[in-house]
Amino acid sequence: MSKLARYLQVEDILLDVNVSNKQRLFDQVGQHLQETRQLPGDWVTASLWRRELAASTAIGDGVAVPHARLAELDSIHALYLRPQTAMAFAAPDQQPVSDILVLLVPAPADQQHLELLADTARLFSNPRFRQALLRCHDASQVKQLVDHW
């Protein structure tokens, strides 16, 4: 089981999201976390945007891992989003992004956060995992894949 499986919940897996750019994506994440976790959506959005402005969080092969450290959090939150249409994300390979995993972690960063980022990058860098993910058509299938990979 991946480290991600511990933090990714079915209700935080959003497929066919209607977003066309990073700002709308981050707004959607903020809105979702405000509605489901009572986190202030505006600071979630702003934190993700600040991190993205420092350097793109796209890792290539159609994958991005936007992440931010937030002093206000008491636990890690993970969200998986699949936009309706792949979107530009300033990826190193210049490919549009269709798999987005958002990680929000308490500040300051600790070893657990760094291990989660590394594990997530390994997982999403695996072509077999990404192909299996593409075959998932609902949130429960995505969760099951992440849990049992």
Side-chain angles (χ1 to χ4, degrees), residues 26-144:
F26 297 156
D27 288 343
Q28 180 78 25
V29 170
Q31 180 181 352
H32 175 78
L33 288 173
Q34 185 166 323
E35 292 170 1
T36 62
R37 303 285 189 267
Q38 291 69 51
L39 297 173
D42 56 343
W43 60 255
V44 169
T45 300
S47 298
L48 289 168
W49 192 244
R50 271 193 307 275
R51 170 57 188 87
E52 194 66 29
L53 289 174
S56 176
T57 55
I59 61 174
D61 294 320
V63 177
V65 187
H67 55 281
R69 293 178 298 217
L70 304 161
E72 297 85 355
L73 287 180
D74 56 4
S75 62
I76 293 173
H77 295 279
L79 293 87
Y80 171 76
L81 298 97
R82 184 187 300 152
Q84 289 176 352
T85 306
M87 53 192 278
F89 226 91
D93 60 4
Q94 302 303 311
Q95 296 300 311
V97 166
S98 56
D99 291 310
I100 302 163
L101 185 78
V102 176
L103 296 174
L104 300 172
V105 299
D110 62 12
Q111 189 62 32
Q112 181 183 20
H113 167 220
L114 299 174
E115 289 173 4
L116 177 59
L117 267 175
D119 182 66
T120 299
R122 274 192 302 276
L123 184 65
F124 279 85
S125 294
N126 183 325
R128 287 181 39 238
F129 175 78
R130 290 193 318 273
Q131 290 168 357
L133 189 58
L134 186 61
R135 291 189 295 270
C136 295
H137 299 291
D138 63 47
S140 62
Q141 289 175 324
V142 172
K143 175 65 174 152
Q144 185 173 18

